[in-house]
Amino acid sequence: MSLADFNGLVAEVADWINREDATSTLCQTFIQLTETDMKRRLRARVNEKQVTITVDTTNTTYTIPSDLMEIKELNNSLSDAPPIERISLQDFKRFGAVDSGSTAWPVYFARDYDKLVFYPITGSNDLVLTYWAAPVALSSSNTTNDILTNVPDLYLFGALAQSEMFFRFDADQVRFGPLYEAALARENDAAKRQEYAGSTLTMGNPYG
């Protein structure tokens, strides 16, 4: 079998389970549950996305992408602009009352339900949002995605771990849960290593 597409993944999961009652429908459910878990916990390069936001005095908010799981960072595209700091919505509203908005670009942003809000906005600015995206759900009509292409073992071991819970295997029969956890940890850890590779270690003074 092959892990190149959805149908191949379903067939592979069924082969590894090797039970007559491991139907195609059940295997698809295991895959869907794996995707749900990845939404919660996968924070790796393979599901990292970037979009450009343009804000100005007439477009002061940005509707959050439907696949956004967690914001990694938000920066101004101008090289001399400082990073935009995320604050709570309560603090954001407080800043609006006491800050005159003297800078030429946004300094703060907050999440307000399904939108991002920025302060201050005194002109037109292009902002770059980097975030971790939910997996594009696999199906017979959407046969592949970046995660299946780049880390197929994550899907395979995840679905098999779900099958172990469904069939209520004894503790000494559980094999795939640890393999899934290890694959997930490898991806998340690799993203962290790539983030800081080549950086210089600095020590801060805890006493100010």
Side-chain angles (χ1 to χ4, degrees):
M1 293 297 176
S2 170
L3 293 175
D5 58 27
F6 175 69
N7 291 332
L9 174 62
V10 172
E12 197 74 32
V13 170
D15 281 351
W16 280 58
I17 296 174
N18 194 27
R19 292 174 58 116
E20 291 184 0
D21 52 353
T23 64
S24 175
T25 300
L26 264 182
C27 292
Q28 292 179 50
T29 299
F30 300 149
I31 291 168
Q32 291 170 357
L33 290 171
T34 300
E35 290 175 331
T36 299
D37 187 71
M38 286 192 287
K39 287 180 184 179
R40 299 189 184 104
R41 300 200 289 153
L42 183 62
R43 301 293 184 269
R45 287 294 299 273
V46 73
N47 67 322
E48 192 174 297
K49 293 179 71 172
Q50 196 170 77
V51 295
T52 299
I53 303 168
T54 299
V55 294
D56 55 40
T57 54
T58 59
N59 298 290
T60 60
T61 65
Y62 173 72
T63 300
I64 294 171
S66 60
D67 63 346
L68 185 145
M69 294 190 298
E70 184 179 339
I71 295 172
K72 181 180 180 182
E73 60 184 10
L74 180 65
N75 294 295
N76 199 306
S77 62
L78 298 174
S79 59
D80 57 344
I84 303 173
E85 180 182 354
R86 181 171 186 173
I87 57 177
S88 70
L89 185 60
Q90 183 179 14
D91 285 342
F92 180 89
K93 293 178 178 178
R94 187 179 299 120
F95 272 115
V98 301
D99 194 312
S100 61
S102 58
T103 62
W105 44 68
V107 178
Y108 306 108
F109 80 98
R111 180 169 182 165
D112 187 359
Y113 186 53
D114 65 342
K115 290 181 172 56
L116 297 182
V117 291
F118 313 91
Y119 187 84
I121 298 179
T122 57
S124 179
N125 287 270
D126 289 333
L127 313 178
V128 180
L129 172 67
T130 306
Y131 68 96
W132 287 288
V136 178
L138 295 176
S139 67
S140 56
S141 59
N142 184 67
T143 60
T144 191
N145 61 23
D146 288 341
I147 299 174
L148 182 62
T149 298
N150 292 282
V151 279
D153 58 326
L154 198 57
Y155 261 110
L156 177 62
F157 294 146
L160 293 171
Q162 294 293 336
S163 77
E164 289 177 332
M165 289 188 287
F166 178 84
F167 292 116
R168 296 181 175 84
F169 290 160
D170 294 333
D172 60 353
Q173 294 178 293
V174 173
R175 297 175 295 162
F176 299 111
L179 291 176
Y180 172 67
E181 293 296 332
L184 186 66
R186 279 196 302 271
E187 287 305 303
N188 288 341
D189 290 345
K192 294 176 183 177
R193 289 196 303 272
Q194 292 166 2
E195 186 78 15
Y196 298 106
S199 62
T200 302
L201 179 65
T202 58
M203 297 293 291
N205 183 354
Y207 302 102

